[in-house]
Amino acid sequence: MKFRIFVGLGLSAIALSTTSLVSHHYWPTLVAWADEIRSFGSDGSNGRSGRSGQVGAAGRDQTVWADGRPQQVNAIGGDGGDGESGDPGERPFCRAQPRNVRYNLQAADGGDGGSGGSGGNGGRGGNVTIYYTDPAHLRLIAVDASGGRGGRGGRGGYGGDECNCEDHGWEVQVCQDGNCRNERYVCRDGRSGNTGYDGYDGTSGQPGQLRLINQSTPLLSDAPTQTQPLNAFLQAPVRLSKNRWQSRFGAGAVLASGSIVANEYYEFMGRLEAQAQVVWEAERSQSPFLSFAPTVTLEDSGELQMIFPDSLWIEGRTEQTGELTTYVVTHVVRADEVTNLSWGRQTGRGSDFAITVIDLGQETEFVDTQFKLVYSTSEDDPRDNRRARYRKHFDGIVPAEVITRDNNRFVIALGEMAINDRYFQRGTYARVELQVVRSLGENSAERTLSWEERL
């Protein structure tokens, strides 16, 4: 059941104990404009939306040889399918209008029409590759590599008709204690359903592209990029090849008059071949790194670009001998282990005070390490509820002469730095923030260690 509110200027009807068609005293006729509204009948259901049309198939790629005879090449893309029309909205179930009721009435609405489906896009034209030895022979080849037409959008369905009132207004006489009045009620016709939206037309497909190869023998396939486990590059050179193409414009002027292809076409300019290998000269064993897979790419310039995974830091050099490019690895570390650091013990006091940092990743021997220190103390107890106020005594790079390394263990003698000894005395509330910067070649990473406690 649905309820609607009509806004009017009349007074609302007052519920009385007796309803009659005869009375001794009459009140003015009142329109029950804002009273309860009840619907009768059932609204029609909305129509189903149409399905979108199928996308056109791409034209078939083709390869032909220009041998001086006229040729017709068809590489047209398929047309997109039309979208379905939406179903019309259903007519409501219209019941008989209730008579002489003390409430307003609303007839049932018609259902909305379904939206039309969009037309499918046309398929692109196929790409055409032509081998030739005489450029004049290209003018004898007519190519139609146009894209398919887009499908038409479906029409929106019509809305369903509404239900109508048989009696749009009536009065009911209400009496109480000899006083009577007439209450007026209304019936509103239903709303016809809205027509659904039309679907969009599909777009035409793009024309296919032309490739020209000035030779009579088939072009070899190329492999300009190779991703292999490091072990493959260490065992033997990995071969790469690349077919070079020059982008040009004006494809229609190259072929027979009336040919339809994309304006931009590509002319084969030659073939590049190269080899890549890796030579291991790093001090550490290659075994933990054999499964990592570098990627090598042959550029148009003929140079090779080797990229190692981000999980490795590599330092080395490149050597070139003819087609062979050799990457000599001199240093290598795992990136995730470089910043695997932890606090050790704090020892001594005064000029003997020192802190310890442990390299859990055990990469210290293979990377450069720098420490940046912020050392502060407080006269307040940080364990109190109020915030402790700290005073900074050092903020900068830790001098190398106060750092001692024992394998993967660093000892930093803070008491030997330009900080007053009294800030390292027993009972001092201290805060240490140590930024550790580790680097290898162009790679670097940072890790900040901090602690706050009473010495």
Side-chain angles (χ1 to χ4, degrees):
M1 179 177 292
K2 60 187 177 185
F3 298 92
R4 302 184 184 180
I5 300 298
F6 296 120
V7 179
L9 300 176
L11 298 175
S12 298
I14 303 175
L16 302 177
S17 61
T18 303
T19 301
S20 175
L21 299 178
V22 181
S23 64
H24 297 88
H25 303 283
Y26 291 92
W27 294 342
T29 298
L30 300 178
V31 178
W33 204 250
D35 276 356
E36 175 186 0
I37 303 169
R38 299 185 188 180
S39 63
F40 65 98
S42 301
D43 291 345
S45 299
N46 295 333
R48 180 186 62 85
S49 294
R51 290 176 295 188
S52 296
Q54 293 286 337
V55 176
R60 184 168 60 91
D61 293 343
Q62 298 194 46
T63 299
V64 297
W65 274 261
D67 54 8
R69 296 176 301 168
Q71 297 186 57
Q72 187 80 31
V73 180
N74 186 342
I76 302 173
D79 294 338
D82 294 338
E84 290 183 345
S85 294
D87 289 345
E90 293 187 3
R91 180 177 174 80
F93 173 68
C94 298
R95 296 179 54 193
Q97 178 180 340
R99 297 293 185 174
N100 296 322
V101 292
R102 292 184 61 196
Y103 47 81
N104 297 307
L105 291 172
Q106 171 66 53
D109 299 334
D112 294 335
S115 297
S118 297
N121 295 330
R124 66 167 180 82
N127 296 324
V128 177
T129 300
I130 301 179
Y131 288 86
Y132 72 98
T133 54
D134 185 347
H137 292 167
L138 297 174
R139 298 288 296 169
L140 299 175
I141 299 179
V143 175
D144 188 352
S146 55
R149 294 172 298 181
R152 293 174 298 180
R155 301 295 299 273
Y158 292 109
D161 293 334
E162 75 282 5
C163 293
N164 295 309
C165 302
E166 297 176 8
D167 185 3
H168 289 87
W170 63 96
E171 292 185 358
V172 177
Q173 190 179 83
V174 180
C175 297
Q176 184 180 35
D177 298 331
N179 296 316
C180 297
R181 68 171 183 174
N182 288 337
E183 294 178 347
R184 184 183 177 193
Y185 296 93
V186 296
C187 177
R188 293 294 176 91
D189 292 335
R191 176 189 61 82
S192 60
N194 295 317
T195 299
Y197 294 105
D198 292 340
Y200 293 105
D201 292 339
T203 59
S204 297
Q206 296 295 318
Q209 232 159 17
L210 175 68
R211 288 177 178 259
L212 299 179
I213 303 172
N214 188 4
Q215 63 183 46
S216 58
T217 57
L219 194 64
L220 298 175
S221 61
D222 58 359
T225 299
Q226 293 271 17
T227 300
Q228 299 283 348
L230 180 60
N231 190 41
F233 286 96
L234 289 168
Q235 289 182 349
V238 174
R239 302 190 64 85
L240 297 100
S241 58
K242 184 181 184 68
N243 296 322
R244 294 178 59 240
W245 300 89
Q246 176 69 48
S247 171
R248 303 184 188 278
F249 293 90
V254 175
L255 303 170
S257 177
S259 293
I260 302 175
V261 289
N263 185 46
E264 183 180 17
Y265 69 100
Y266 293 90
E267 178 84 23
F268 178 64
M269 301 302 294
R271 183 176 175 85
L272 297 174
E273 295 192 357
Q275 301 179 62
Q277 74 172 127
V278 175
V279 172
W280 194 270
E281 290 187 359
E283 296 180 8
R284 63 196 313 176
S285 170
Q286 59 186 241
S287 299
F289 307 98
L290 295 181
S291 61
F292 289 90
T295 296
V296 62
T297 301
L298 177 57
E299 307 288 352
D300 285 342
S301 62
E303 296 181 351
L304 287 179
Q305 179 77 24
M306 179 168 281
I307 300 176
F308 289 87
D310 292 339
S311 52
L312 291 181
W313 285 5
I314 298 286
E315 188 177 37
R317 65 182 184 275
T318 301
E319 298 177 352
Q320 188 74 41
T321 305
E323 291 185 352
L324 177 63
T325 300
T326 302
Y327 295 86
V328 182
V329 176
T330 56
H331 298 89
V332 57
V333 297
R334 294 175 59 112
D336 57 350
E337 295 292 351
V338 170
T339 54
N340 188 6
L341 306 166
S342 177
W343 284 117
R345 295 189 306 164
Q346 293 82 45
T347 59
R349 61 178 182 270
S351 60
D352 296 327
F353 181 72
I355 59 176
T356 304
V357 176
I358 307 298
D359 177 8
L360 301 178
Q362 301 184 3
E363 299 287 0
T364 296
E365 184 178 351
F366 312 106
V367 297
D368 295 325
T369 305
Q370 185 183 62
F371 296 95
K372 299 178 181 179
L373 171 70
V374 177
Y375 184 77
S376 309
T377 63
S378 175
E379 296 180 357
D380 303 320
D381 188 344
R383 295 170 297 182
D384 292 346
N385 292 331
R386 57 191 176 88
R387 184 176 178 83
R389 293 167 295 180
Y390 279 89
R391 180 183 176 189
K392 189 183 299 183
H393 305 295
F394 186 89
D395 184 355
I397 298 175
V398 178
E401 57 268 20
V402 302
I403 302 172
T404 303
R405 183 173 75 85
D406 181 12
N407 292 324
N408 292 298
R409 178 172 172 269
F410 294 92
V411 178
I412 304 174
L414 298 188
E416 297 180 10
M417 296 176 58
I419 304 174
N420 196 303
D421 290 353
R422 66 189 184 93
Y423 297 121
F424 300 120
Q425 296 300 320
R426 184 187 298 275
T428 300
Y429 295 107
R431 175 190 289 167
V432 175
E433 297 178 28
L434 191 65
Q435 184 182 46
V436 187
V437 182
R438 316 203 82 181
S439 60
L440 174 63
E442 298 180 354
N443 300 289
S444 66
E446 298 180 358
R447 172 74 185 278
T448 299
L449 303 174
S450 61
W451 58 263
E452 183 178 339
E453 62 183 57
R454 190 175 185 179
L455 301 182

